[in-house]
mmCIF file of all heavy atoms in Angstrom:
data_model
loop_
_atom_site.group_PDB
_atom_site.id
_atom_site.type_symbol
_atom_site.label_atom_id
_atom_site.label_comp_id
_atom_site.label_asym_id
_atom_site.label_seq_id
_atom_site.Cartn_x
_atom_site.Cartn_y
_atom_site.Cartn_z
ATOM 1 N N LEU A 1276 -22.278 -31.589 0.217
ATOM 2 C CA LEU A 1276 -20.892 -31.150 0.326
ATOM 3 C C LEU A 1276 -20.441 -30.975 1.769
ATOM 4 O O LEU A 1276 -21.189 -30.448 2.596
ATOM 5 C CB LEU A 1276 -20.698 -29.816 -0.392
ATOM 6 C CG LEU A 1276 -20.878 -29.796 -1.905
ATOM 7 C CD1 LEU A 1276 -20.769 -28.364 -2.407
ATOM 8 C CD2 LEU A 1276 -19.844 -30.681 -2.580
ATOM 9 N N THR A 1277 -19.202 -31.383 2.035
ATOM 10 C CA THR A 1277 -18.542 -30.940 3.251
ATOM 11 C C THR A 1277 -18.110 -29.488 3.058
ATOM 12 O O THR A 1277 -17.494 -29.148 2.047
ATOM 13 C CB THR A 1277 -17.328 -31.815 3.572
ATOM 14 O OG1 THR A 1277 -17.773 -33.136 3.869
ATOM 15 C CG2 THR A 1277 -16.566 -31.277 4.771
ATOM 16 N N MET A 1278 -18.453 -28.635 4.009
ATOM 17 C CA MET A 1278 -18.164 -27.209 3.938
ATOM 18 C C MET A 1278 -17.224 -26.815 5.076
ATOM 19 O O MET A 1278 -17.104 -27.520 6.081
ATOM 20 C CB MET A 1278 -19.448 -26.393 4.037
ATOM 21 C CG MET A 1278 -20.468 -26.686 2.954
ATOM 22 S SD MET A 1278 -19.929 -26.118 1.314
ATOM 23 C CE MET A 1278 -19.831 -24.342 1.586
ATOM 24 N N GLY A 1279 -16.583 -25.668 4.916
ATOM 25 C CA GLY A 1279 -15.685 -25.209 5.950
ATOM 26 C C GLY A 1279 -15.554 -23.706 6.006
ATOM 27 O O GLY A 1279 -15.891 -22.995 5.056
ATOM 28 N N TRP A 1280 -15.075 -23.233 7.154
ATOM 29 C CA TRP A 1280 -14.680 -21.844 7.340
ATOM 30 C C TRP A 1280 -13.173 -21.783 7.529
ATOM 31 O O TRP A 1280 -12.606 -22.558 8.313
ATOM 32 C CB TRP A 1280 -15.366 -21.216 8.556
ATOM 33 C CG TRP A 1280 -16.816 -20.932 8.381
ATOM 34 C CD1 TRP A 1280 -17.857 -21.709 8.792
ATOM 35 C CD2 TRP A 1280 -17.385 -19.770 7.767
ATOM 36 N NE1 TRP A 1280 -19.053 -21.101 8.469
ATOM 37 C CE2 TRP A 1280 -18.792 -19.915 7.838
ATOM 38 C CE3 TRP A 1280 -16.850 -18.634 7.165
ATOM 39 C CZ2 TRP A 1280 -19.664 -18.953 7.328
ATOM 40 C CZ3 TRP A 1280 -17.719 -17.685 6.660
ATOM 41 C CH2 TRP A 1280 -19.106 -17.855 6.745
ATOM 42 N N TYR A 1281 -12.542 -20.886 6.811
ATOM 43 C CA TYR A 1281 -11.133 -20.574 6.967
ATOM 44 C C TYR A 1281 -10.999 -19.122 7.403
ATOM 45 O O TYR A 1281 -11.941 -18.333 7.284
ATOM 46 C CB TYR A 1281 -10.374 -20.749 5.655
ATOM 47 C CG TYR A 1281 -10.172 -22.179 5.195
ATOM 48 C CD1 TYR A 1281 -11.228 -22.936 4.697
ATOM 49 C CD2 TYR A 1281 -8.904 -22.755 5.227
ATOM 50 C CE1 TYR A 1281 -11.034 -24.231 4.258
ATOM 51 C CE2 TYR A 1281 -8.699 -24.051 4.783
ATOM 52 C CZ TYR A 1281 -9.769 -24.787 4.297
ATOM 53 O OH TYR A 1281 -9.567 -26.073 3.855
ATOM 54 N N ARG A 1282 -9.819 -18.761 7.883
ATOM 55 C CA ARG A 1282 -9.540 -17.363 8.168
ATOM 56 C C ARG A 1282 -8.084 -17.046 7.879
ATOM 57 O O ARG A 1282 -7.221 -17.927 7.905
ATOM 58 C CB ARG A 1282 -9.885 -16.997 9.608
ATOM 59 C CG ARG A 1282 -8.986 -17.636 10.659
ATOM 60 C CD ARG A 1282 -9.487 -17.290 12.049
ATOM 61 N NE ARG A 1282 -8.649 -17.862 13.088
ATOM 62 C CZ ARG A 1282 -8.924 -17.810 14.380
ATOM 63 N NH1 ARG A 1282 -10.036 -17.199 14.811
ATOM 64 N NH2 ARG A 1282 -8.101 -18.355 15.268
ATOM 65 N N GLN A 1283 -7.827 -15.790 7.594
ATOM 66 C CA GLN A 1283 -6.478 -15.320 7.357
ATOM 67 C C GLN A 1283 -6.276 -14.020 8.120
ATOM 68 O O GLN A 1283 -6.904 -13.010 7.814
ATOM 69 C CB GLN A 1283 -6.211 -15.117 5.870
ATOM 70 C CG GLN A 1283 -4.757 -14.825 5.551
ATOM 71 C CD GLN A 1283 -4.436 -15.018 4.080
ATOM 72 O OE1 GLN A 1283 -5.326 -14.982 3.235
ATOM 73 N NE2 GLN A 1283 -3.170 -15.228 3.780
ATOM 74 N N ALA A 1284 -5.409 -14.068 9.117
ATOM 75 C CA ALA A 1284 -5.078 -12.903 9.919
ATOM 76 C C ALA A 1284 -3.941 -12.135 9.262
ATOM 77 O O ALA A 1284 -3.181 -12.698 8.466
ATOM 78 C CB ALA A 1284 -4.683 -13.330 11.327
ATOM 79 N N PRO A 1285 -3.785 -10.853 9.591
ATOM 80 C CA PRO A 1285 -2.708 -10.061 9.000
ATOM 81 C C PRO A 1285 -1.343 -10.705 9.221
ATOM 82 O O PRO A 1285 -1.001 -11.075 10.347
ATOM 83 C CB PRO A 1285 -2.805 -8.726 9.734
ATOM 84 C CG PRO A 1285 -4.239 -8.635 10.146
ATOM 85 C CD PRO A 1285 -4.636 -10.039 10.481
ATOM 86 N N GLY A 1286 -0.577 -10.860 8.144
ATOM 87 C CA GLY A 1286 0.758 -11.417 8.227
ATOM 88 C C GLY A 1286 0.831 -12.915 8.423
ATOM 89 O O GLY A 1286 1.927 -13.443 8.622
ATOM 90 N N LYS A 1287 -0.298 -13.607 8.362
ATOM 91 C CA LYS A 1287 -0.312 -15.044 8.585
ATOM 92 C C LYS A 1287 -0.943 -15.784 7.415
ATOM 93 O O LYS A 1287 -1.624 -15.194 6.580
ATOM 94 C CB LYS A 1287 -1.060 -15.377 9.875
ATOM 95 C CG LYS A 1287 -0.396 -14.839 11.127
ATOM 96 C CD LYS A 1287 -1.004 -15.425 12.372
ATOM 97 C CE LYS A 1287 -0.238 -14.987 13.607
ATOM 98 N NZ LYS A 1287 -0.792 -15.593 14.839
ATOM 99 N N GLN A 1288 -0.698 -17.097 7.362
ATOM 100 C CA GLN A 1288 -1.286 -17.939 6.333
ATOM 101 C C GLN A 1288 -2.759 -18.207 6.632
ATOM 102 O O GLN A 1288 -3.199 -18.134 7.782
ATOM 103 C CB GLN A 1288 -0.542 -19.265 6.229
ATOM 104 C CG GLN A 1288 0.888 -19.163 5.749
ATOM 105 C CD GLN A 1288 1.484 -20.523 5.477
ATOM 106 O OE1 GLN A 1288 1.107 -21.191 4.503
ATOM 107 N NE2 GLN A 1288 2.398 -20.946 6.330
ATOM 108 N N ARG A 1289 -3.488 -18.523 5.589
ATOM 109 C CA ARG A 1289 -4.877 -18.910 5.762
ATOM 110 C C ARG A 1289 -4.942 -20.237 6.515
ATOM 111 O O ARG A 1289 -4.198 -21.167 6.222
ATOM 112 C CB ARG A 1289 -5.553 -19.030 4.399
ATOM 113 C CG ARG A 1289 -7.058 -19.162 4.456
ATOM 114 C CD ARG A 1289 -7.675 -19.067 3.063
ATOM 115 N NE ARG A 1289 -7.428 -17.766 2.451
ATOM 116 C CZ ARG A 1289 -7.955 -17.379 1.299
ATOM 117 N NH1 ARG A 1289 -8.770 -18.182 0.626
ATOM 118 N NH2 ARG A 1289 -7.660 -16.181 0.812
ATOM 119 N N GLU A 1290 -5.830 -20.318 7.496
ATOM 120 C CA GLU A 1290 -5.956 -21.515 8.308
ATOM 121 C C GLU A 1290 -7.399 -22.001 8.357
ATOM 122 O O GLU A 1290 -8.340 -21.212 8.294
ATOM 123 C CB GLU A 1290 -5.445 -21.266 9.732
ATOM 124 C CG GLU A 1290 -6.256 -20.251 10.511
ATOM 125 C CD GLU A 1290 -5.829 -20.134 11.963
ATOM 126 O OE1 GLU A 1290 -5.161 -21.061 12.477
ATOM 127 O OE2 GLU A 1290 -6.169 -19.115 12.601
ATOM 128 N N LEU A 1291 -7.536 -23.299 8.505
ATOM 129 C CA LEU A 1291 -8.852 -23.910 8.633
ATOM 130 C C LEU A 1291 -9.377 -23.699 10.043
ATOM 131 O O LEU A 1291 -8.699 -24.016 11.024
ATOM 132 C CB LEU A 1291 -8.770 -25.402 8.314
ATOM 133 C CG LEU A 1291 -10.068 -26.198 8.387
ATOM 134 C CD1 LEU A 1291 -11.071 -25.694 7.361
ATOM 135 C CD2 LEU A 1291 -9.780 -27.677 8.185
ATOM 136 N N VAL A 1292 -10.587 -23.184 10.147
ATOM 137 C CA VAL A 1292 -11.217 -22.904 11.433
ATOM 138 C C VAL A 1292 -12.142 -24.035 11.858
ATOM 139 O O VAL A 1292 -12.100 -24.500 13.000
ATOM 140 C CB VAL A 1292 -11.993 -21.575 11.386
ATOM 141 C CG1 VAL A 1292 -12.751 -21.333 12.688
ATOM 142 C CG2 VAL A 1292 -11.047 -20.420 11.092
ATOM 143 N N ALA A 1293 -13.005 -24.479 10.943
ATOM 144 C CA ALA A 1293 -13.994 -25.499 11.260
ATOM 145 C C ALA A 1293 -14.529 -26.113 9.986
ATOM 146 O O ALA A 1293 -14.533 -25.473 8.934
ATOM 147 C CB ALA A 1293 -15.150 -24.907 12.075
ATOM 148 N N THR A 1294 -14.987 -27.355 10.079
ATOM 149 C CA THR A 1294 -15.638 -28.030 8.959
ATOM 150 C C THR A 1294 -16.940 -28.650 9.428
ATOM 151 O O THR A 1294 -17.124 -28.935 10.616
ATOM 152 C CB THR A 1294 -14.769 -29.138 8.340
ATOM 153 O OG1 THR A 1294 -14.482 -30.134 9.325
ATOM 154 C CG2 THR A 1294 -13.474 -28.567 7.787
ATOM 155 N N ILE A 1295 -17.827 -28.873 8.465
ATOM 156 C CA ILE A 1295 -19.084 -29.548 8.740
ATOM 157 C C ILE A 1295 -19.445 -30.407 7.542
ATOM 158 O O ILE A 1295 -19.420 -29.949 6.402
ATOM 159 C CB ILE A 1295 -20.203 -28.537 9.090
ATOM 160 C CG1 ILE A 1295 -21.497 -29.271 9.456
ATOM 161 C CG2 ILE A 1295 -20.410 -27.531 7.962
ATOM 162 C CD1 ILE A 1295 -22.519 -28.366 10.136
ATOM 163 N N THR A 1296 -19.766 -31.679 7.792
ATOM 164 C CA THR A 1296 -20.117 -32.601 6.725
ATOM 165 C C THR A 1296 -21.579 -32.451 6.350
ATOM 166 O O THR A 1296 -22.340 -31.723 6.983
ATOM 167 C CB THR A 1296 -19.853 -34.050 7.138
ATOM 168 O OG1 THR A 1296 -20.781 -34.424 8.162
ATOM 169 C CG2 THR A 1296 -18.425 -34.232 7.638
ATOM 170 N N SER A 1297 -21.971 -33.182 5.303
ATOM 171 C CA SER A 1297 -23.370 -33.166 4.880
ATOM 172 C C SER A 1297 -24.299 -33.680 5.970
ATOM 173 O O SER A 1297 -25.467 -33.288 6.018
ATOM 174 C CB SER A 1297 -23.552 -33.994 3.610
ATOM 175 O OG SER A 1297 -23.168 -35.347 3.822
ATOM 176 N N GLY A 1298 -23.777 -34.538 6.845
ATOM 177 C CA GLY A 1298 -24.543 -35.051 7.965
ATOM 178 C C GLY A 1298 -24.368 -34.263 9.246
ATOM 179 O O GLY A 1298 -24.781 -34.724 10.310
ATOM 180 N N SER A 1299 -23.726 -33.096 9.155
ATOM 181 C CA SER A 1299 -23.537 -32.164 10.269
ATOM 182 C C SER A 1299 -22.556 -32.650 11.323
ATOM 183 O O SER A 1299 -22.613 -32.223 12.482
ATOM 184 C CB SER A 1299 -24.879 -31.796 10.916
ATOM 185 O OG SER A 1299 -25.694 -31.077 10.007
ATOM 186 N N SER A 1300 -21.630 -33.521 10.935
ATOM 187 C CA SER A 1300 -20.499 -33.834 11.796
ATOM 188 C C SER A 1300 -19.501 -32.682 11.713
ATOM 189 O O SER A 1300 -19.195 -32.205 10.624
ATOM 190 C CB SER A 1300 -19.842 -35.135 11.357
ATOM 191 O OG SER A 1300 -18.720 -35.436 12.154
ATOM 192 N N THR A 1301 -18.976 -32.233 12.856
ATOM 193 C CA THR A 1301 -18.146 -31.029 12.893
ATOM 194 C C THR A 1301 -16.762 -31.290 13.453
ATOM 195 O O THR A 1301 -16.552 -32.203 14.249
ATOM 196 C CB THR A 1301 -18.817 -29.929 13.732
ATOM 197 O OG1 THR A 1301 -19.003 -30.405 15.073
ATOM 198 C CG2 THR A 1301 -20.162 -29.549 13.138
ATOM 199 N N ASN A 1302 -15.820 -30.446 13.036
ATOM 200 C CA ASN A 1302 -14.471 -30.425 13.585
ATOM 201 C C ASN A 1302 -14.021 -28.982 13.700
ATOM 202 O O ASN A 1302 -14.398 -28.140 12.888
ATOM 203 C CB ASN A 1302 -13.497 -31.204 12.706
ATOM 204 C CG ASN A 1302 -13.633 -32.692 12.855
ATOM 205 O OD1 ASN A 1302 -13.210 -33.262 13.851
ATOM 206 N ND2 ASN A 1302 -14.239 -33.343 11.867
ATOM 207 N N TYR A 1303 -13.194 -28.698 14.720
ATOM 208 C CA TYR A 1303 -12.746 -27.343 15.003
ATOM 209 C C TYR A 1303 -11.249 -27.285 15.231
ATOM 210 O O TYR A 1303 -10.649 -28.222 15.775
ATOM 211 C CB TYR A 1303 -13.437 -26.797 16.253
ATOM 212 C CG TYR A 1303 -14.930 -26.699 16.144
ATOM 213 C CD1 TYR A 1303 -15.748 -27.750 16.528
ATOM 214 C CD2 TYR A 1303 -15.527 -25.542 15.645
ATOM 215 C CE1 TYR A 1303 -17.125 -27.660 16.423
ATOM 216 C CE2 TYR A 1303 -16.898 -25.445 15.542
ATOM 217 C CZ TYR A 1303 -17.700 -26.507 15.931
ATOM 218 O OH TYR A 1303 -19.061 -26.411 15.825
ATOM 219 N N ALA A 1304 -10.657 -26.172 14.838
ATOM 220 C CA ALA A 1304 -9.293 -25.892 15.228
ATOM 221 C C ALA A 1304 -9.225 -25.719 16.741
ATOM 222 O O ALA A 1304 -10.163 -25.214 17.363
ATOM 223 C CB ALA A 1304 -8.789 -24.630 14.536
ATOM 224 N N ASP A 1305 -8.111 -26.140 17.336
ATOM 225 C CA ASP A 1305 -7.968 -26.032 18.788
ATOM 226 C C ASP A 1305 -8.138 -24.595 19.282
ATOM 227 O O ASP A 1305 -8.650 -24.370 20.381
ATOM 228 C CB ASP A 1305 -6.607 -26.563 19.225
ATOM 229 C CG ASP A 1305 -6.504 -28.069 19.137
ATOM 230 O OD1 ASP A 1305 -7.548 -28.746 19.057
ATOM 231 O OD2 ASP A 1305 -5.370 -28.575 19.158
ATOM 232 N N SER A 1306 -7.727 -23.640 18.478
ATOM 233 C CA SER A 1306 -7.762 -22.249 18.889
ATOM 234 C C SER A 1306 -9.174 -21.694 19.064
ATOM 235 O O SER A 1306 -9.356 -20.687 19.742
ATOM 236 C CB SER A 1306 -6.996 -21.382 17.888
ATOM 237 O OG SER A 1306 -7.547 -21.500 16.588
ATOM 238 N N VAL A 1307 -10.167 -22.344 18.454
ATOM 239 C CA VAL A 1307 -11.536 -21.843 18.527
ATOM 240 C C VAL A 1307 -12.484 -22.810 19.222
ATOM 241 O O VAL A 1307 -13.652 -22.460 19.458
ATOM 242 C CB VAL A 1307 -12.092 -21.489 17.135
ATOM 243 C CG1 VAL A 1307 -11.151 -20.549 16.404
ATOM 244 C CG2 VAL A 1307 -12.356 -22.746 16.310
#
């Protein structure tokens, strides 16, 4: 499975933080 971390700050929508594929390829939000 491709997995991911999301976060939701107070008063804001849930956003995608980072993902990682089964082969460990990664992507990140610019903010992190």
Side-chain angles (χ1 to χ4, degrees):
L1276 294 175
T1277 295
M1278 301 291 297
W1280 288 97
Y1281 288 72
R1282 68 184 181 186
Q1283 189 164 22
K1287 296 192 174 182
Q1288 294 189 71
R1289 191 172 297 186
E1290 65 174 341
L1291 181 63
V1292 175
T1294 60
I1295 183 166
T1296 69
S1297 60
S1299 295
S1300 178
T1301 60
N1302 284 285
Y1303 298 91
D1305 288 343
S1306 59
V1307 307

